[in-house]
Amino acid sequence: MADRSMADCIEDYLKEILRDVDQVELKRSDIATRFNVVPSQINYVIKTRFTLQNGYLVESKRGGGGYIRISKVTVGPDAHFIEALLQDLPSQVTVKQANDILTCLTREHVLTEHEKCLVQTLLSKETLEVLAMQDAQAQLRARLLSQLLNRLRFESERE
């Protein structure tokens, strides 16, 4: 529980920095020192909380002069962004990953809140429980989400 709490603090700190700017470049070691954690904890937070699905693009360079560059991505109904989401989509998607993508699409007004809720219902654990194995549920969830993104991409190309 303490690790989760620390991860939340690190996430909040980074989001606070990003509140007024679209991009920030930081040293992993500086953040680790600030929070008195190992650099791998910073990697964990960035890998799990600052994903393309959550509206962020992360670049990093390791080593002495290394850095982490976090950029906010403006989504909108942009075919290129949706294409990037599709390319980044794993073959198995958890409910959390699906919800992160749907939240991002809603935040950027690609989906309405009502549409998001409907799709969340379709991708939920309860809906996909007809498949006994969780791997099969995650694969089906990925395929359904892929179909949705492809449709959104097609619509954005028509506009």
Side-chain angles (χ1 to χ4, degrees):
M1 192 62 133
D3 287 340
R4 175 147 172 36
S5 173
M6 183 56 68
D8 289 341
C9 291
I10 295 167
E11 175 186 13
D12 291 344
Y13 171 74
L14 294 173
K15 285 184 176 177
E16 180 64 31
I17 292 172
L18 283 161
R19 183 176 315 255
D20 298 322
V21 296
D22 290 333
Q23 180 178 326
V24 66
E25 194 169 293
L26 307 161
K27 287 193 170 274
R28 185 179 290 112
S29 60
D30 291 346
I31 300 168
T33 300
R34 178 182 181 89
F35 288 94
N36 196 29
V37 297
V38 294
S40 63
Q41 179 72 22
I42 306 305
N43 291 344
Y44 167 79
V45 171
I46 292 188
K47 183 177 181 185
T48 60
R49 315 251 178 129
F50 291 87
T51 63
L52 187 58
Q53 294 91 340
N54 287 326
Y56 298 96
L57 182 63
V58 176
E59 302 171 65
S60 68
K61 179 181 176 238
R62 294 184 183 254
Y67 62 85
I68 300 170
R69 183 178 300 135
I70 305 172
S71 305
K72 289 190 269 186
V73 178
T74 303
V75 182
D78 180 339
H80 297 294
F81 177 76
I82 294 172
E83 182 65 37
L85 277 176
L86 277 164
Q87 289 177 2
D88 199 44
L89 194 67
S91 61
Q92 294 185 10
V93 173
T94 65
V95 171
K96 182 188 179 330
Q97 289 170 318
N99 287 339
D100 287 347
I101 291 170
L102 296 172
T103 298
C104 182
L105 293 171
T106 304
R107 182 178 57 243
E108 298 299 329
H109 307 291
V110 176
L111 296 176
T112 66
E113 189 66 36
H114 180 70
E115 291 167 336
K116 172 187 146 188
C117 290
L118 292 173
V119 175
Q120 281 177 318
T121 300
L122 294 174
L123 300 178
S124 72
K125 180 182 175 221
E126 295 77 18
T127 301
L128 300 181
E129 273 183 335
V130 294
L131 301 171
M133 298 183 59
Q134 285 187 350
D135 285 353
Q137 292 173 18
Q139 287 173 348
L140 180 56
R141 190 175 295 110
R143 291 188 67 175
L144 292 168
L145 195 52
S146 174
Q147 289 299 313
L148 172 68
L149 291 171
N150 273 310
R151 177 61 189 205
L152 291 171
R153 181 180 62 174
F154 172 72
E155 288 177 9
S156 70
E157 289 172 350
R158 289 182 34 198
E159 294 176 356

